[in-house]
Amino acid sequence: MAQTVAKIAVAAATYWVDKPYDYLIPPELAEKAVPGVRVYVPFSHGNRRSEGIILAVSDGSEYEKLKAITAVLDEEPLLSREQIKLTLFMRERFFCTVYDAVKAMLPAGLWFDDEGRTKVQDKTVEMTRLCVSPEEASRYAAAKRRRAPQQAELLEQLCSFDCLPSRDLLKHTGASRQSLTALCKAGFVELYKKETFRRPEIHLGDIEPLPVLNDEQQQAFTGINALAMSGKSGAALLFGVTGSGKTSVYIHLITEQLARGRSVILLVPEIALTPQMIQTFSSHFGDTVAVLHSSLSVGERYDEFKRVRSGKARLVIGTRSAVFAPADKLGLIIIDEEQEETYKSENSPRYNARDVAIYRCAQAGCLLLLGSATPTVETMYYAREGRYQVFPLYRRYNEKALPEVFIADLRDELRAGNETAVSEPLRSALEENLARGEQSILFLNRRGSSRMLLCGECGEVPECPRCSVPMTYHSANGRLMCHYCGHSEPAYERCPQCGGIMKHIGTGTQKVEEELHALFSGAKVLRMDTDTVGASHGHEKLLRQFEEEKIPILLGTQMVAKGLDFENVTLVGVLCADASLYIDNYRAPERTFSLLSQVVGRAGRGSKQGRAIIQTFTPENEVIRAAAAQDYDAFYESEIRMRRLRRYPPFADLFSFTVTGADESRVIRAAKALRDALGYAVERREELKPLSIEVLGPAGASVVKVNNRYRYRVFLVGKGCPALRRLVAEYLYAFYQHKENRGLDIFADCNAIQ
């Protein structure tokens, strides 16, 4: 007799033993045990209970002795067959387990606690409705008016509204619960449960008409819409300067897709951008908008996920993880500000939202639209090679010129005795803006007060005891804090080594805020960084306060650098343009150009002309000059030459193996052994010889020790292909087979951002 067998991805399976495991489906669970549902299964020699998810069901197995599923956890599948295929793609592409991919796709509220209950329950409200006709209810109410006035009042209220939440009905009428129960027993009303959704705050009003497109926008919309309507998968780039009105084009494209009964996913890089995006899109698409990002409560994320899966919401707006939204009949995926590194996950699964979006579009036969004023070098390279179609927007929507940019040399400021973070040109410009009642945005990508403390006598710098980085001084609480592991301790004025006076080196947003209060005593300053933004909707509150209260100065980290659109902002100041330029990463020039171009573009988006001041110690740097001139072509031509010479993406991919452990010498030895083994394989295997693969390392990560674990890396340089990915997966497996590597961990990534 044939046995029904489920192939299951088990949560307890680590990467080196991850595979679909065969389990018997007991007859009593046969109807519920279908692909996409979670189950409990016994796993490993100890038969400990573990979650799993059914990937497929078959009539037999190559194994004779099989364990059986013990319980089915879901009433209906959580993942469709297309989503199950996506988890398998992610496993091969991003070197993660299938269950890691599943967890990335599902909201946290769906997972179970130790007692087997989901962390978030469905939210319901008790409703009351009539069981008889309004005419019969009115006659009964009239008869009961003298002997049971509360029952009469309840019935009369329901005659007007048919059904109401029980709590609201009792509160409005002043009736008791006993009166409502009596009506239920008499058969005039019934009580039932209605599911309600926990929703993030969305400002809904009247639906606004579609924005009017200018000639450039109309031309871009027509071309992109033709691609989206073709029913074929593909990718396009909407390449528009800051303020050119890319969002208006998005609105028209989404309108067309929704009219066809299709769904759309719109990704934004920062949580700080979602309030403005949600307000803009909900004003056009109303309650069909769903929001997915990490600042929502667990209940809100769970309910938004359900609204998307049920089809109640067909436009999904969110950050990186929203690319997994269970949108049916997908017609378009838009990645706004596609150059942002926040689309790349740094934790397992180490996916890039762009790669996932490309896969989903290929499976659904729909279009991927990338939008940016400063596309990644890879995106522009593929566009010029013809793989992506390009639709340019050269002019701002309001026909205003781009902001006038002035470069302030901080070396001249030091020679003049100005040691503050605000140069003389920027101070004068801020004063002018204050006098005119216009707003300003200041950008500094470093939170805290001072970058570090330094002893003026012996050079001692307080370092984190768990990480190999100096701790940052925070003046708000007088403490030193590590921004990697969260370690915190009181700051001290005297050096513990020699007793010398500790000096404050470098500048963070807290210190700049203090300096601004000293320079402009009557002006209000709003600071926006991770220290001031709370876990839930803090960014939304601050941005609304900045806009509604017309606060003169908004100071912040990269949260304020992109996507924000405030009509009264006419001045942008970049306090230190060099902060992201001279770091150990091949993307540093690209990231700096993008940040500067984006933040400069926040000025002059309304009717008034904008201006920007970039402060730097290296005004002659070609990246800074190109950003000041808003000259993307000049930056691209310079950067693509360097990428070609060094075999950086898009000309090759960087596959990194990161070995971690508590003993630095063991980590280094393991990394060296891995490098030698990879080098041997690359030289000897015929399939790899034509790929010109280089093996580099080992080298310490940019921060070698984090939370008491050392990190060293080995790199494979070569164009990503199945043979190279198989090599990476093979050596991840092999690493754990060697006894000398016990206690060490390893993970792989492709084109890591750090």
Side-chain angles (χ1 to χ4, degrees):
M1 181 177 175
Q3 294 177 315
T4 308
V5 175
K7 292 191 176 295
I8 296 175
V10 182
T14 49
Y15 182 75
W16 57 96
V17 295
D18 183 47
K19 64 177 183 178
Y21 287 87
D22 288 0
Y23 282 87
L24 286 176
I25 301 177
E28 65 272 17
L29 299 179
E31 290 187 6
K32 292 184 177 180
V34 296
V37 300
R38 291 172 300 173
V39 293
Y40 276 144
V41 294
F43 186 71
S44 76
H45 296 297
N47 285 331
R48 70 182 187 275
R49 187 180 74 172
S50 176
E51 281 183 34
I53 191 160
I54 298 179
L55 304 177
V57 175
S58 62
D59 291 331
S61 171
E62 61 183 291
Y63 304 102
E64 292 183 3
K65 294 183 179 181
L66 295 179
K67 300 174 184 178
I69 295 170
T70 58
V72 176
L73 304 179
D74 301 307
E75 294 295 326
E76 58 183 16
L78 294 179
L79 299 182
S80 65
R81 293 188 182 275
E82 290 73 21
Q83 289 173 306
I84 291 174
K85 290 179 182 178
L86 176 56
T87 65
L88 300 176
F89 163 79
M90 291 177 65
R91 182 186 184 279
E92 300 301 320
R93 184 82 175 184
F94 307 120
F95 312 109
C96 64
T97 69
V98 173
Y99 222 74
D100 282 339
V102 171
K103 285 211 164 187
M105 295 172 67
L106 298 179
L110 281 169
W111 301 106
F112 295 89
D113 59 22
D114 294 335
E115 298 179 1
R117 297 173 302 191
T118 52
K119 294 180 180 178
V120 174
Q121 305 298 317
D122 291 337
K123 185 179 180 182
T124 59
V125 60
E126 184 185 74
M127 301 291 291
T128 304
R129 66 184 168 198
L130 287 174
C131 294
V132 297
S133 67
E135 293 77 15
E136 185 178 350
S138 295
R139 289 195 298 270
Y140 187 78
K144 284 281 188 178
R145 171 60 62 189
R146 296 185 63 183
R147 289 188 298 134
Q150 290 188 356
Q151 293 183 33
E153 187 67 29
L154 289 169
L155 287 174
E156 288 176 356
Q157 194 71 22
L158 287 170
C159 286
S160 301
F161 293 96
D162 188 40
C163 66
L164 285 170
S166 300
R167 178 185 295 181
D168 294 346
L169 178 62
L170 294 175
K171 184 178 180 180
H172 184 73
T173 60
S176 65
R177 184 74 188 186
Q178 289 85 346
S179 297
L180 184 59
T181 304
L183 287 175
C184 289
K185 291 180 179 179
F188 284 92
V189 301
E190 68 173 350
L191 305 179
Y192 66 98
K193 296 288 186 181
K194 179 183 177 182
E195 184 178 13
T196 61
F197 294 107
R198 288 153 286 210
R199 300 291 314 279
E201 185 179 353
I202 296 178
H203 301 284
L204 293 174
D206 295 333
I207 299 298
E208 296 182 3
L210 291 176
V212 178
L213 302 181
N214 61 26
D215 293 341
E216 264 192 345
Q217 290 172 316
Q218 184 63 47
Q219 188 174 353
F221 163 71
T222 302
I224 297 169
N225 193 50
L227 293 176
M229 294 293 187
S230 69
K232 299 178 181 178
S233 61
L237 170 64
L238 182 58
F239 178 37
V241 299
T242 55
S244 57
K246 294 185 287 293
T247 300
S248 296
V249 178
Y250 297 159
I251 291 170
H252 279 260
L253 290 169
I254 292 168
T255 300
E256 293 292 324
Q257 291 300 316
L258 297 184
R260 294 175 60 210
R262 313 285 282 188
S263 299
V264 178
I265 296 175
L266 169 61
L267 301 184
V268 294
E270 289 276 355
I271 294 173
L273 301 185
T274 53
Q276 283 198 328
M277 280 291 197
I278 293 165
Q279 188 169 354
T280 298
F281 284 90
S282 62
S283 68
H284 292 284
F285 304 109
D287 202 42
T288 193
V289 177
V291 185
L292 293 172
H293 58 74
S294 59
S295 280
L296 301 181
S297 69
V298 175
E300 287 172 337
R301 273 182 281 174
Y302 173 64
D303 285 352
E304 291 291 85
F305 174 86
K306 289 200 301 179
R307 289 181 67 241
V308 176
R309 191 174 63 177
S310 67
K312 289 184 173 68
R314 293 191 294 128
L315 170 58
V316 182
I317 301 175
T319 49
R320 178 178 63 221
S321 61
V323 74
F324 300 116
D328 190 29
K329 298 180 181 178
L330 196 58
L332 178 67
I333 298 179
I334 302 171
I335 302 182
D336 191 37
E337 308 293 359
E338 67 88 24
Q339 79 285 351
E340 288 301 322
E341 62 185 30
T342 50
Y343 288 124
K344 178 77 166 67
S345 171
E346 296 182 64
N347 300 310
S348 184
R350 293 172 174 82
Y351 68 92
N352 191 313
R354 184 192 295 108
D355 294 337
V356 177
I358 290 171
Y359 177 86
R360 292 200 67 179
C361 288
Q363 294 298 303
C366 66
L367 180 69
L368 170 64
L369 178 60
L370 307 171
S372 180
T374 56
T376 61
V377 172
E378 296 96 313
T379 295
M380 183 54 71
Y381 176 79
Y382 295 142
R384 295 191 177 186
E385 290 285 303
R387 289 173 59 176
Y388 300 163
Q389 292 200 40
V390 185
F391 299 91
L393 299 175
Y394 297 112
R395 305 190 311 274
R396 283 193 154 188
Y397 180 73
N398 59 8
E399 300 297 335
K400 289 285 185 181
L402 289 169
E404 181 183 359
V405 182
F406 175 78
I407 298 178
D409 192 340
L410 290 178
R411 296 171 298 185
D412 294 338
E413 296 297 314
L414 289 177
R415 295 188 193 103
N418 180 11
E419 297 184 358
T420 68
V422 182
S423 65
E424 182 59 31
L426 181 56
R427 186 192 62 79
S428 299
L430 286 169
E431 284 183 344
E432 293 173 11
N433 254 31
L434 289 170
R436 289 197 294 260
E438 297 170 0
Q439 293 172 284
S440 309
I441 292 178
L442 301 183
F443 167 66
L444 176 63
N445 209 18
R446 183 183 294 126
R447 63 189 175 103
S449 179
S450 300
R451 182 161 57 92
M452 62 185 185
L453 298 184
L454 170 71
C455 175
E457 301 294 329
C458 69
E460 171 73 12
V461 175
E463 281 199 355
C464 173
R466 301 198 292 251
C467 307
S468 55
V469 291
M471 289 185 288
T472 301
Y473 173 69
H474 287 249
S475 59
N477 54 9
R479 297 183 70 86
L480 296 168
M481 181 178 291
C482 174
H483 291 170
Y484 284 86
C485 72
H487 173 79
S488 175
E489 61 185 54
Y492 34 83
E493 296 182 359
R494 293 281 178 175
C495 175
Q497 302 297 325
C498 69
I501 297 175
M502 301 299 291
K503 295 184 177 180
H504 295 251
I505 305 298
T507 301
T509 51
Q510 284 186 9
K511 186 175 181 181
V512 174
E513 183 181 23
E514 295 167 3
E515 292 177 352
L516 289 171
H517 283 305
L519 286 171
F520 312 107
S521 56
K524 192 171 182 179
V525 178
L526 189 64
R527 176 163 60 91
M528 189 171 178
D529 54 32
T530 52
D531 294 322
T532 60
V533 172
S536 179
H537 310 300
H539 52 279
E540 183 175 355
K541 180 181 177 182
L542 289 175
L543 292 175
R544 194 183 307 156
Q545 183 183 0
F546 177 67
E547 182 174 27
E548 293 176 355
E549 299 180 15
K550 296 290 187 289
I551 293 175
I553 301 173
L554 174 64
L555 165 68
T557 54
Q558 65 180 14
M559 294 179 181
V560 304
K562 46 196 172 283
L564 303 183
D565 190 350
F566 297 110
E567 184 176 347
N568 197 40
V569 172
T570 57
L571 173 66
V572 163
V574 180
L575 299 184
C576 186
D578 312 295
S580 61
L581 187 55
Y582 302 107
I583 59 175
D584 183 22
N585 189 287
Y586 74 94
R587 293 191 184 276
E590 178 183 77
R591 185 165 184 265
T592 300
F593 177 85
S594 175
L595 270 174
L596 295 180
S597 299
Q598 292 289 336
V599 73
V600 164
R602 298 313 102 202
R605 299 176 74 89
S607 58
K608 304 170 186 175
Q609 178 62 39
R611 52 190 174 145
I613 296 175
I614 298 176
Q615 300 182 168
T616 174
F617 287 100
T618 55
E620 67 282 354
N621 186 281
E622 61 182 6
V623 174
I624 292 175
R625 289 200 168 276
Q630 300 276 284
D631 191 346
Y632 178 85
D633 289 338
F635 164 76
Y636 173 81
E637 294 299 335
S638 172
E639 185 65 14
I640 201 70
R641 285 195 299 269
M642 296 300 296
R643 297 277 184 100
R644 184 179 283 109
L645 285 172
R646 296 177 179 178
R647 289 194 74 202
Y648 285 152
F651 302 103
D653 292 301
L654 300 180
F655 290 88
S656 60
F657 295 85
T658 303
V659 182
T660 70
D663 186 329
E664 186 174 18
S665 61
R666 288 189 64 209
V667 172
I668 294 174
R669 282 198 303 271
K672 286 181 178 178
L674 176 62
R675 175 203 59 194
D676 295 341
L678 287 168
Y680 182 83
V682 167
E683 289 178 2
R684 295 302 180 94
R685 297 188 185 183
E686 293 298 325
E687 64 176 348
L688 298 177
K689 287 181 180 179
L691 302 179
S692 301
I693 299 171
E694 297 177 78
V695 183
L696 306 175
S702 55
V703 178
V704 173
K705 186 174 75 168
V706 173
N707 217 2
N708 288 326
R709 291 188 70 84
Y710 294 89
R711 310 183 299 169
Y712 282 80
R713 289 175 176 164
V714 176
F715 293 92
L716 284 179
V717 183
K719 196 64 178 174
C721 64
L724 186 52
R725 291 184 183 278
R726 282 195 299 270
L727 178 71
V728 174
E730 177 185 338
Y731 277 84
L732 285 176
Y733 288 125
F735 183 87
Y736 288 102
Q737 307 305 316
H738 293 276
K739 293 181 180 179
E740 59 268 26
N741 292 336
R742 287 181 179 173
L744 303 180
D745 286 313
I746 187 172
F747 63 85
D749 200 357
C750 181
N751 299 329
I753 59 175
Q754 289 186 352

